[in-house]
Amino acid sequence: MQIYLDTAKVEEIREFAWLIDGVTTNPTLVAQAGRPFREVLREICALVRGPVSAEVISLDAEGMVREAQELARIADNIVIKIPLTPEGLKAVQRLKALGIKTNVTLVFSAPQALLAAKCGADYVSPFVGRIDDHGGDGMGVVAEILQIFRNYSFPTQVIVASVRHPGHVVAAATLGAPIVTMPYAVLQRLFHHPLTEQGIARFLKDWEKVPR
Ligand code: E4P
């Protein structure tokens, strides 16, 4: 399973650049980083070889394609994030013809993912945390999408997004999801277990008793 970091903070990406396979950003994350979008993207793409998703703001297909072409010039590994709307999927079809990769975002259901895959999206991002927040079953939606993509051999890859805790990561991996994107805080939590920390403390204490 590939691990992406869901952030636009360059310092967080730098810390885990040795481990991660890609990065996803969105307008909220870019606003939180508090720096100019294109400058941040250039720095991220220099740190990470894998795909770096950058989202368009336009709501019409023509505007999305224009923005996408401009963003794609920043680096070879830029993937354009497009919202799941009819205009968005028209843009996906046009960008495919232009050889520009797309990640269809704000996916909350299996039929939405099916449409994105039919239009040639390279990635779809189901937002499991937001689905759960609304009383739905985020991982259930991911399971349906994975099964549909398998049934029709769609090459579109699923990026499990809106991840809130390590349990989401384990559930995604158990389902065989190819990619999970997670915030810095969740990635940090994946390393920890109280018994690991206790074990290290005990080994160090016992080591002091070893004759030198
Ligand atoms: C995905 O690519 C999005 O950036 C992200 O996972 C959204 O997560 P949120 O629901 O925590 O905002």
Side-chain angles (χ1 to χ4, degrees):
M1 188 186 70
Q2 293 193 11
I3 291 179
Y4 289 7
L5 209 47
D6 194 28
T7 183
K9 291 187 180 156
V10 173
E11 62 278 14
E12 294 181 351
I13 294 161
R14 188 174 289 116
E15 183 179 332
F16 283 116
W18 58 277
L19 177 69
I20 59 174
D21 302 290
V23 170
T24 49
T25 68
N26 66 38
T28 304
L29 296 172
V30 173
Q32 284 166 2
R35 298 182 46 210
F37 184 32
R38 283 156 188 75
E39 184 182 299
V40 166
L41 279 182
R42 261 188 288 276
E43 287 180 31
I44 296 174
C45 290
L47 285 170
V48 178
R49 281 207 196 148
V52 175
S53 287
E55 192 156 341
V56 295
I57 299 303
S58 299
L59 296 177
D60 62 301
E62 204 178 310
M64 288 179 191
V65 170
R66 209 178 316 113
E67 272 186 69
Q69 286 178 299
E70 195 229 314
L71 290 171
R73 275 196 283 273
I74 291 176
D76 288 345
N77 51 341
I78 290 276
V79 172
I80 306 300
K81 240 176 165 183
I82 304 272
L84 191 302
T85 61
E87 285 298 301
L89 294 189
K90 280 184 213 164
V92 167
Q93 288 179 330
R94 290 187 206 162
L95 290 170
K96 190 171 181 59
L98 293 170
I100 294 176
K101 292 204 162 148
T102 54
N103 170 5
V104 174
T105 189
L106 293 168
V107 170
F108 295 94
S109 73
Q112 287 182 318
L114 173 62
L115 291 176
K118 270 187 72 65
C119 290
D122 294 282
Y123 304 93
V124 291
S125 292
F127 277 33
V128 294
R130 293 194 200 183
I131 295 171
D132 291 352
D133 292 346
H134 280 77
D137 173 12
M139 281 302 161
V141 172
V142 170
E144 288 173 347
I145 296 170
L146 289 170
Q147 184 60 53
I148 290 167
F149 286 8
R150 271 195 298 269
N151 289 350
Y152 297 99
S153 303
F154 282 123
T156 309
Q157 294 203 71
V158 175
I159 304 179
V160 176
S162 186
V163 160
R164 302 274 192 258
H165 49 73
H168 275 150
V169 180
V170 174
T174 306
L175 287 174
I179 306 162
V180 175
T181 189
M182 65 194 80
Y184 174 80
V186 174
L187 182 52
Q188 276 187 317
R189 285 178 64 193
L190 295 188
F191 285 89
H192 295 295
H193 191 285
L195 292 180
T196 304
E197 277 116 53
Q198 281 172 31
I200 290 171
R202 191 192 298 173
F203 284 153
L204 288 179
K205 202 157 174 271
D206 289 343
W207 189 249
E208 285 167 16
K209 297 176 203 152
V210 174
R212 285 154 223 246

